[in-house]
Amino acid sequence: MILTVIGNTGSFPGPDAPASCYLLSGEDAHGRTWRIVLDMGNGALGVLQRHIDLHEIDAIMLSHLHPDHCVDVGGLHVAVKWDPRGWQGGRIPIYGPSMLHGYLNQLHLLPPEHSMDTEFDFHVWQANQPVTVGPFTVTPHPVNHPCPEPYALRVEYRGAQGTEVLTYSGDTDVCDELVAAARDADVFLCEAAYQEGREDHLRGIHLTGKRAGETATAAGVRRLLLTHLPVWNSVDTATAEAVGAFSGPVTVARVATSYDVAGPTDQSFTALASAVTGD
């Protein structure tokens, strides 16, 4: 399974990166490559097209309905519905909280009875109930964030090297469900929007690098990849906080970089990323 970081900033796009969006790709037993997208925040749709044609999306998986995680799905609706050349794919399966359809209608100022079923095949997450798309099985775990139905997503990929696991935290503070979602993951793609000593009074919203590292330790993950850092965060500070709480490899997700989820633990993420991207 290959993880490509499309966007990694928190709360709104930065000058050099969209908000949260991650592309996962992997072959099935017949050699067919499947591609799923985790979240599609502000600015993600444009950058995503540098990596794949939009009709190659096999499914979209949304962690929650804050704009920095889902608003560019509205643009994808336009791309599917109004392309004068004709849409080259079928309806795109989209998984998310129960309010997703209404959210998209409001985004386009459409009446509540309007349906986007001609563009999207809507599926509502059921807590802890896995869904399978090609070689990927995704299980949503309820987490601790102030919005309706926020989830961490545990992705299990059945490939040539056996089962690989990537857990994406979505947005959350510390909670038992996050530990369960990340249990023994090869890669823990985890938000670190807050900083120790700066947002200590804000709880039940986001993690710090330290709390991300503590969660990674509790879950026994192999590698920790920090993401969802707002533009005012220090990458070095977030990394140092995490390293102080987790003994495995730690780095910050880089935009337009691909990571081998099953890569060996004795290499840094930087080395793994270079091996995949050729940079």
Side-chain angles (χ1 to χ4, degrees):
M1 171 167 44
I2 300 299
L3 161 69
T4 300
V5 178
I6 305 300
N8 66 354
T9 60
S11 302
F12 58 92
D16 301 310
S20 294
C21 184
Y22 312 93
L23 173 66
L24 295 179
S25 59
E27 290 187 354
D28 64 15
H30 306 289
R32 195 266 218 201
T33 299
W34 293 74
R35 301 171 178 88
I36 63 174
V37 178
L38 308 182
D39 282 350
M40 194 174 284
N42 324 48
L45 185 62
V47 174
L48 182 62
Q49 292 173 80
R50 300 176 190 170
H51 298 272
I52 61 171
D53 291 330
L54 295 179
H55 71 266
E56 294 177 323
I57 299 172
D58 289 298
I60 298 168
M61 314 286 195
L62 300 179
S63 65
H64 65 293
L65 297 184
H66 280 158
D68 59 319
H69 292 260
C70 69
V71 74
D72 268 24
V73 175
L76 181 60
H77 162 256
V78 174
V80 175
K81 186 176 182 64
W82 297 110
D83 188 336
R85 301 164 298 181
W87 179 247
Q88 299 303 307
R91 291 190 303 158
I92 300 175
I94 184 167
Y95 296 78
S98 60
M99 299 171 62
L100 174 59
H101 201 166
Y103 175 91
L104 291 176
N105 278 8
Q106 292 179 34
L107 189 65
H108 287 274
L109 299 179
L110 299 172
E113 64 273 14
H114 180 88
S115 176
M116 294 186 182
D117 288 346
T118 53
E119 291 77 53
F120 299 122
D121 181 12
F122 288 94
H123 301 268
V124 176
W125 290 126
Q126 303 298 320
N128 303 307
Q129 296 301 307
V131 299
T132 297
V133 176
F136 298 101
T137 297
V138 183
T139 304
H141 290 254
V143 288
N144 186 15
H145 191 61
C147 71
E149 303 170 51
Y151 293 101
L153 303 177
R154 180 181 177 89
V155 183
E156 300 180 5
Y157 165 72
R158 302 174 304 281
Q161 302 181 63
T163 299
E164 306 168 26
V165 178
L166 176 140
T167 294
Y168 169 47
S169 68
D171 281 2
T172 183
D173 201 347
V174 173
C175 61
D176 291 342
E177 279 280 8
L178 183 61
V179 175
R183 181 72 62 197
D184 298 326
D186 294 291
V187 170
F188 185 26
L189 177 63
C190 187
E191 70 118 293
Y194 285 169
Q195 183 175 305
E196 292 289 317
R198 189 183 67 190
E199 285 104 358
D200 293 351
H201 60 295
L202 299 174
R203 295 308 301 260
I205 306 175
H206 290 295
L207 295 162
T208 62
K210 178 183 178 182
R211 297 204 292 267
E214 290 171 344
T215 300
T217 296
V221 308
R222 293 175 62 213
R223 291 175 290 168
L224 176 59
L225 187 59
L226 301 175
T227 193
H228 197 274
L229 274 67
V231 296
W232 49 70
N233 273 29
S234 163
V235 170
D236 292 340
T237 297
T239 303
E241 287 183 3
V243 166
F246 176 64
S247 60
V250 179
T251 196
V252 172
R254 294 189 291 163
V255 171
T257 299
S258 294
Y259 300 89
D260 180 0
V261 171
T265 56
D266 60 348
Q267 295 186 42
S268 70
F269 265 121
T270 301
L272 291 170
S274 298
V276 172
T277 60
D279 61 7

